[in-house]
Amino acid sequence: MKGKINVKTENIFPVIKKFLYSDHEIFLREIVSNAVDATQKLKTLSSLGEAKGELGDLTIDVKIDKDNKTLHVIDRGIGMTKDEVEKYITQIAFSGAEEFLEKFKGKSEADVNQLIGHFGLGFFSSFMVSDKVEIFTKSFKDEKGVHWTCDGDTEYSIEEYDKTERGTEIVMHITEECKDFLEEYKILELLKKYCKFMPVAIRFGKEKSWEDSSTEKDKEGNPKRVEVEKDRIINNTEPLWKKSPTELKDEDYNKFFHELYPMNFDEPLFHIHLNVDYPFNLTGVLYFPKVKKNIDPTQDKIQLYCNQVFVTDSVEGVVPQYMMLLRGILDSPDIPLNVSRSYLQSDNNVKKISSHISKKVAEKLEAISTKQHEDFLNKWDDLKVFIEYGMLSDEKFYDRMKNIYVFKNTQKEFYTFEDYKKKISALQTDKDGNIIILYAQNADEQYAYIQAAKDKGYDVLLMDGILDSHFINMMEQKNEKIRFTRIDSDVIGKLIQKDEKIPSKLSEDETKKVQEMMEALVDKKIFTIQTESLDESSAPITVTQNEFMRRMKEMSELGGGGMYGLYGDMPESYNLVINTNHPIIYNILQSTDTAKQTETLSQLKDLALLSQGLLKGEALDTFIKRSTKIIE
Ligand code: ADP
Ligand code: MG
């Protein structure tokens, strides 16, 4: 019998083919997941006693017939009667496409691309890659088999067919331009991508593996290792996230992590097993990975599933930005399949899921920080980036994390913010009542400054993470009377401004003179000369970098804080602070030999620069020659 698909517009196929081109590989996911659905339905009916008899092997077969240029998906599920084919395939499946076309009229191409996502094309998507699609099916209800054919036009034919096996075979006659889908590697790749965790076994081709032989023995009498060829089963039908956490060990979670990301050899730090059934359904596992300095966000992304069917690994908008640092999978029947990302983002369920996940992640971190405190601190360096990113971008997350966030000092001790304030407030409060938190960004390079601060009884934090400067800015904004000061931003005696004043040994004239002498020795575009009356034990000359100016420069480089472009490339700038109470400085001024004065000042200045790695090229050469001469 011939029929005409009830579509008012003449030919919808070319339109669909054209616009779905970029994503047409999803046809395989659609056809295979229909086969899975049909199999699951049969199992359910059988368990209810509505489908009689043995179910037999329910494995789904995917086959390529290169000679006939066809791709076959064969299931042993419920099958369809003739009426059902008419109803579900010809009427319903095609009505989705018709609706699509209605909306498509008069829209621009960009709009259409947006629109496409809203339509579940399901079975229909097979036409994106086929000239002709055939269905051979026989219902479990033991009726006659049916053969349906449609060649990509609005006409189709349907007739009775002698099929012995229950179930459905979809035959896709692959078009010339899509002939890639007749290649084994291509189909294998797609099955691995979309069907890896589908709940019914899928068989495709053969694979070789090494096994112990049951008959042959080696010289020592052990079973011989032989290469065997076996059916290749694509999927793990019972993925870890579907199991109960009580039957799983840490090793199982780690093993699954590597199953998901075969190219990642690091062990994840922690995992979260999600299992929600109200007000929406969501399962999954999320991992905290080791965050490298050079994170590649395009690798090992969170994967989104809908009932064990892969949907996407572009989760932008589905989870908050900072959650993208996590790894793992999310599975929810409430995440709409077949929709474009912009649609996903505006979906209400997706929004709820997103905020729920944030909450779960925060809870997990809270639990680890109290119940596994040791472990939490050991892994802190790796967790920190994630937590800081979350605190910086999500107010709610900030509130939950602020009491478990820890600062690490240069002695590798950890303190919560509150504890740390208590620890340092006695010594590190300035004359205006601000608590001054001192920090280093590089324990080696800033060693001398750290040491000087420690000698004074100060504590120094190590803030060397990639987000630390942003984090510091935020903490200052959120906490009154808290200032962060990098350890080299001033001479030690002035890092924390107190009321005490040390009298200067030099007169005002002498101070002015030494300042001018030094100014003559440096590039004034880079160096500002300051004089300070510090205690005698402080260095004669110290290089410092003003906290505010340095942060401005860092911001302009990072392009953050809205400063980008405004300040452009800010030049490097430093202060050279002369300690007017240092004996050498005093002696220089007592001398009358101007050559000697210049030499000694130059030497002191160069030593200060050298300690900061600021002496290079010609300046370094001059310094070495001068030093040699002095030793002579
Ligand atoms: P959906 O799967 O969202 O219902 P599809 O367009 O993928 O939409 O499929 C339409 C209908 O065709 C299915 O709901 C089902 O009734 C029927 N169908 C498709 N493939 C099979 C199959 N392999 N076995 C039995 N029925 C099928
Ligand atoms: Mg479907």
Side-chain angles (χ1 to χ4, degrees):
M1 175 211 140
K2 293 233 182 257
K4 203 158 165 62
I5 293 163
N6 184 23
V7 176
K8 279 146 232 131
T9 326
E10 57 305 332
N11 201 343
I12 58 177
F13 293 91
V15 178
I16 301 281
K17 274 184 195 174
K18 181 174 169 218
F19 286 111
L20 285 176
Y21 194 78
S22 62
D23 223 11
H24 62 358
E25 62 178 39
I26 57 124
F27 81 93
L28 191 61
R29 173 187 78 187
E30 294 303 321
I31 299 303
V32 175
S33 63
N34 280 350
V36 168
D37 291 346
T39 311
Q40 301 277 65
K41 280 181 201 158
L42 180 73
K43 282 194 206 162
T44 310
L45 288 176
S46 164
S47 68
L48 296 172
E50 283 176 37
K52 305 267 170 342
E54 286 293 307
L55 297 184
D57 178 11
L58 296 176
T59 308
I60 293 164
D61 278 298
V62 177
K63 289 179 181 165
I64 294 171
D65 178 346
K66 274 208 152 172
D67 296 337
N68 293 309
K69 299 193 175 131
T70 50
L71 180 64
H72 304 240
V73 176
I74 306 154
D75 69 63
R76 289 153 194 88
I78 49 168
M80 286 176 276
T81 62
K82 197 171 165 194
D83 285 350
E84 284 165 345
V85 175
E86 286 280 13
K87 187 167 159 206
Y88 298 131
I89 300 293
T90 329
Q91 290 169 24
I92 297 180
F94 279 68
S95 66
E98 192 190 353
E99 195 188 334
F100 167 79
L101 210 64
E102 282 297 310
K103 295 258 164 64
F104 157 79
K105 274 188 204 153
K107 291 266 160 66
S108 72
E109 192 161 326
D111 287 340
V112 172
N113 280 329
Q114 291 277 311
L115 262 178
I116 281 170
H118 296 249
F119 293 88
L121 289 166
F123 169 76
F124 194 86
S125 63
S126 56
F127 285 98
M128 295 190 294
V129 297
S130 318
D131 294 321
K132 175 160 105 174
V133 178
E134 294 180 83
I135 302 175
F136 297 89
T137 182
K138 182 172 141 72
S139 166
F140 75 101
K141 292 171 199 154
D142 197 29
E143 291 187 32
K144 277 242 166 226
V146 185
H147 177 207
W148 178 94
T149 315
C150 179
D151 63 359
D153 209 326
T154 44
E155 275 183 86
Y156 68 95
S157 75
I158 186 165
E159 66 210 1
E160 280 191 359
Y161 179 83
D162 229 358
K163 191 177 188 304
T164 44
E165 279 219 313
R166 176 202 67 226
T168 304
E169 172 167 2
I170 307 288
V171 181
M172 289 161 274
H173 297 258
I174 302 298
T175 62
E176 182 58 26
E177 60 198 277
C178 294
K179 59 173 188 279
D180 262 8
F181 295 122
L182 293 170
E183 298 299 333
E184 178 164 338
Y185 82 91
K186 184 73 192 169
I187 295 301
L188 183 61
E189 177 196 316
L190 296 182
L191 290 172
K192 286 271 178 208
K193 176 170 173 187
Y194 291 106
C195 311
K196 196 159 65 165
F197 299 116
M198 283 187 182
V200 177
I202 300 159
R203 185 161 44 207
F204 176 63
K206 302 270 181 194
E207 67 189 343
K208 286 182 177 160
S209 65
W210 289 91
E211 273 183 14
D212 286 348
S213 164
S214 55
T215 50
E216 292 177 74
K217 301 230 187 278
D218 65 11
K219 282 185 206 121
E220 278 128 54
N222 297 319
K224 209 170 166 182
R225 298 291 283 175
V226 285
E227 196 175 21
V228 287
E229 207 183 46
K230 287 207 296 198
D231 291 340
R232 185 199 284 119
I233 300 294
I234 294 295
N235 47 340
N236 169 0
T237 56
E238 283 179 8
L240 172 125
W241 76 86
K242 287 284 166 195
K243 295 178 185 162
S244 154
T246 51
E247 25 172 296
L248 296 165
K249 297 201 183 70
D250 280 352
E251 294 93 88
D252 299 316
Y253 287 100
N254 288 5
K255 215 176 123 218
F256 186 68
F257 179 83
H258 296 298
E259 188 179 334
L260 278 178
Y261 309 113
M263 301 311 286
N264 189 328
F265 300 105
D266 287 329
E267 294 299 320
L269 304 170
F270 299 107
H271 63 261
I272 305 175
H273 198 142
L274 297 160
N275 199 341
V276 188
D277 39 37
Y278 183 82
F280 47 83
N281 204 297
L282 172 74
T283 51
V285 213
L286 289 176
Y287 294 93
F288 290 93
K290 275 207 166 102
V291 182
K292 304 252 173 65
K293 283 234 159 143
N294 48 345
I295 332 160
D296 179 1
T298 62
Q299 258 209 313
D300 298 347
K301 295 189 285 188
I302 295 179
Q303 300 174 2
L304 220 55
Y305 286 74
C306 173
N307 287 327
Q308 295 174 239
V309 179
F310 176 83
V311 180
T312 179
D313 60 3
S314 307
V315 294
E316 291 95 336
V318 180
V319 302
Q321 189 75 21
Y322 64 97
M323 293 284 169
M324 311 255 288
L325 293 177
L326 299 181
R327 303 284 173 261
I329 85 107
L330 299 171
D331 185 353
S332 174
D334 299 318
I335 293 174
L337 255 178
N338 273 326
V339 298
S340 68
R341 187 150 60 256
S342 52
Y343 182 76
L344 264 188
Q345 287 169 16
S346 61
D347 186 89
N348 254 333
N349 271 325
V350 171
K351 278 189 196 145
K352 274 188 238 152
I353 289 172
S354 169
S355 71
H356 181 82
I357 294 168
S358 310
K359 198 173 127 224
K360 280 284 161 204
V361 168
E363 277 169 13
K364 177 74 183 188
L365 287 168
E366 282 163 348
I368 304 168
S369 96
T370 47
K371 289 184 203 132
Q372 299 163 249
H373 195 60
E374 192 89 343
D375 207 15
F376 179 71
L377 297 182
N378 283 337
K379 293 174 180 164
W380 174 251
D381 287 344
D382 292 304
L383 281 175
K384 185 170 115 160
V385 184
F386 174 79
I387 295 181
E388 285 182 351
Y389 194 8
M391 290 173 82
L392 281 161
S393 49
D394 177 353
E395 198 65 30
K396 274 194 200 142
F397 195 75
Y398 173 89
D399 284 336
R400 300 194 73 138
M401 291 297 108
K402 67 172 189 252
N403 297 324
I404 69 163
Y405 182 94
V406 286
F407 289 97
K408 184 170 146 185
N409 70 9
T410 47
Q411 276 116 283
K412 301 191 167 56
E413 297 163 342
F414 293 95
Y415 298 92
T416 60
F417 187 46
E418 287 307 315
D419 288 346
Y420 194 65
K421 280 192 294 188
K422 276 185 212 131
K423 175 185 165 70
I424 65 168
S425 63
L427 268 182
Q428 293 179 224
T429 303
D430 72 4
K431 59 178 167 36
D432 303 321
N434 295 310
I435 295 182
I436 308 295
I437 297 180
L438 300 175
Y439 69 99
Q441 268 174 327
N442 187 316
D444 285 332
E445 283 174 19
Q446 291 157 359
Y447 181 84
Y449 299 95
I450 297 171
Q451 220 40 51
K454 279 187 187 161
D455 290 346
K456 234 178 138 66
Y458 295 160
D459 192 82
V460 182
L461 291 182
L462 188 61
M463 296 297 271
D464 57 356
I466 39 177
L467 292 177
D468 280 351
S469 15
H470 291 281
F471 187 76
I472 284 171
N473 282 339
M474 179 188 70
M475 290 301 281
E476 286 177 341
Q477 276 162 23
K478 288 199 186 286
N479 298 282
E480 256 181 79
K481 300 265 168 200
I482 292 290
R483 296 276 176 283
F484 283 76
T485 301
R486 202 168 86 173
I487 199 74
D488 60 346
S489 61
D490 213 329
V491 286
I492 183 69
K494 299 196 70 192
L495 269 179
I496 298 167
Q497 304 262 357
K498 309 252 175 164
D499 268 335
E500 62 215 29
K501 190 120 187 81
I502 302 175
S504 179
K505 277 197 190 159
L506 300 187
S507 68
E508 258 179 52
D509 281 352
E510 286 170 323
T511 305
K512 207 168 155 224
K513 192 174 168 207
V514 73
Q515 172 145 4
E516 282 166 5
M517 278 159 62
M518 188 57 98
E519 271 166 2
L521 298 175
V522 297
D523 180 348
K524 282 206 268 184
K525 286 202 282 298
I526 303 175
F527 296 100
T528 309
I529 311 299
Q530 289 177 8
T531 52
E532 294 291 347
S533 52
L534 307 168
D535 59 50
E536 278 186 32
S537 61
S538 294
I541 295 178
T542 315
V543 183
T544 66
Q545 230 185 335
N546 180 275
E547 180 78 15
F548 177 74
M549 295 304 280
R550 197 199 75 246
R551 282 199 209 177
M552 289 293 246
K553 183 169 165 56
E554 280 172 0
M555 299 255 258
S556 79
E557 278 163 4
L558 277 169
M563 303 289 172
Y564 187 62
L566 201 57
Y567 291 87
D569 257 352
M570 283 175 60
E572 209 66 59
S573 69
Y574 299 93
N575 302 316
L576 280 184
V577 186
I578 305 174
N579 178 4
T580 56
N581 287 340
H582 198 279
I584 303 181
I585 302 292
Y586 183 78
N587 289 341
I588 291 173
L589 283 157
Q590 309 318 309
S591 163
T592 47
D593 178 350
T594 45
K596 187 83 197 154
Q597 278 179 323
T598 309
E599 186 186 71
T600 315
L601 265 187
S602 302
Q603 193 70 1
L604 288 178
K605 172 204 66 155
D606 284 353
L607 281 170
L609 294 180
L610 189 68
S611 76
Q612 285 315 292
L614 293 170
L615 208 54
K616 294 191 182 98
E618 196 188 337
L620 181 60
D621 186 48
T622 311
F623 166 74
I624 291 172
K625 290 198 174 121
R626 191 194 314 118
S627 301
T628 316
K629 210 187 91 208
I630 293 173
I631 297 167
E632 276 167 10

